[in-house]
Amino acid sequence: MRTCRRALTVLALTLPLVAWGAAPVVDNNSGSGSSNSYPPAGYGTSGAYAGGGVSAPPSAQGQLFMQLQQMQDEIARLRGMVEVQQNDIQRMKQEALERYQDLDSRIGAGGAAAAATNNSQPGGGEINASGAPVAPASQAPAAGTETPDPAKEKLYYEAAFDLIKAKDFDKASQAFTAFLRKYPNSSYAGNAQYWLGEVNLAKGDLQGAGQAFAKVSQLYPKHAKVPDSLYKLADVERRLGHTDKVKGILQQVVAQYPGTSAAQLAQRDLQRL
């Protein structure tokens, strides 16, 4: 009996020690990052509650605002460039007009005499039965008032043509007229005479257009613009109601300038008459 009681006493003393030794020991200070740590991993690293020195990325609204601000700055810069270009174009147009006005003033009496000769064509640009323009021999190109200067001639011609591009037909007409008075023998004169006709046609001046187109073949018979000018002359005569003259001019274009675009158009128009 005494032996049994002693055994029970030893068992009662050892059981708590065994249970305590089996329980897991958790070290809260370890940096293992286990799921038992607090606060949970990832807490406070994103979202509205980010902290600990970690910055949040910019929001979509913020990015959109910055993009809009950049676009507004770029638009303002481009507007400034457009305004500068518009001012330059206007200045160039004004300079071109002033240049030709100065040219007219320096031509003087010689230029006035040439203008009177150019306007002496009878009947406002009459043509004969074959379609050739009727003009006295005195309408041959007069000598220019200055020594030929191809560079200067090119500058004047291009300035006049720029006025066509700007659709300033009144000033373009003045510019080409002044050019032809000063440089009637220029390599650009045939083109200038043709474009004077186009400008007058754009202005609605049919008489002036017809005279200008007729003078291309009369004054510059070897020029490449002759077929086009004759075809345009036929168009002007048609608009003026001179249908009896239209057919003769178109037949002349087809016969004398085969293979050109003007001849092809003239042939088409003849088939429609």
Side-chain angles (χ1 to χ4, degrees):
M1 177 65 73
R2 183 179 298 175
T3 302
C4 183
R5 183 180 300 171
R6 184 179 297 173
L8 290 173
T9 301
V10 172
L11 182 59
L13 292 173
T14 56
L15 279 175
L17 294 175
V18 173
W20 181 82
V25 177
V26 178
D27 186 2
N28 289 332
N29 294 325
S30 67
S32 63
S34 67
S35 60
N36 292 327
S37 62
Y38 186 86
Y43 182 84
T45 60
S46 64
Y49 301 99
V54 179
S55 61
S59 65
Q61 292 85 349
Q63 291 178 347
L64 180 60
F65 175 78
M66 288 187 292
Q67 291 175 358
L68 288 175
Q69 187 65 39
Q70 292 174 352
M71 290 176 63
Q72 289 175 350
D73 294 341
E74 183 66 15
I75 290 172
R77 186 181 68 83
L78 292 175
R79 283 177 177 172
M81 293 175 61
V82 170
E83 290 177 358
V84 171
Q85 292 177 351
Q86 288 176 340
N87 291 335
D88 289 343
I89 291 173
Q90 186 62 35
R91 176 179 53 79
M92 291 173 64
K93 289 171 60 178
Q94 185 62 33
E95 288 178 352
L97 178 60
E98 292 174 354
R99 185 161 58 242
Y100 278 102
Q101 289 174 339
D102 178 67
L103 176 62
D104 277 335
S105 65
R106 289 187 287 109
I107 289 176
T117 302
N118 288 338
N119 290 329
S120 64
Q121 183 174 339
E126 295 293 329
I127 58 173
N128 58 25
S130 66
V134 177
S138 60
Q139 279 191 317
T145 58
E146 290 185 2
T147 303
D149 186 344
K152 184 182 293 185
E153 293 169 14
K154 182 175 185 293
L155 177 64
Y156 276 94
Y157 175 81
E158 290 180 346
F161 199 82
D162 286 341
L163 293 171
I164 294 181
K165 295 178 181 179
K167 300 187 184 302
D168 196 339
F169 300 125
D170 289 331
K171 293 179 181 178
S173 179
Q174 297 174 21
F176 281 119
T177 299
F179 177 89
L180 290 167
R181 290 174 181 171
K182 188 170 185 64
Y183 302 113
N185 298 318
S186 168
S187 60
Y188 299 96
N191 280 333
Q193 186 67 58
Y194 173 82
W195 285 111
L196 178 60
E198 290 281 15
V199 168
N200 289 337
L201 189 60
K203 291 168 56 181
D205 180 6
L206 295 180
Q207 292 289 346
Q211 292 178 10
F213 286 133
K215 288 179 181 178
V216 177
S217 59
Q218 172 209 336
L219 302 178
Y220 312 99
K222 302 297 184 181
H223 199 276
K225 280 293 186 182
V226 170
D228 293 332
S229 65
L230 289 174
Y231 178 77
K232 286 289 188 176
L233 178 60
D235 180 55
V236 171
E237 296 290 4
R238 178 185 60 79
R239 298 190 190 194
L240 289 172
H242 303 159
T243 55
D244 56 323
K245 300 178 181 179
V246 174
K247 186 175 181 179
I249 300 174
L250 294 177
Q251 288 174 338
Q252 178 186 359
V253 175
V254 173
Q256 296 183 6
Y257 306 99
T260 63
S261 59
Q264 295 174 1
L265 294 172
Q267 185 64 51
R268 180 202 63 185
D269 292 352
L270 284 171
Q271 293 173 354
R272 296 176 178 177
L273 291 177

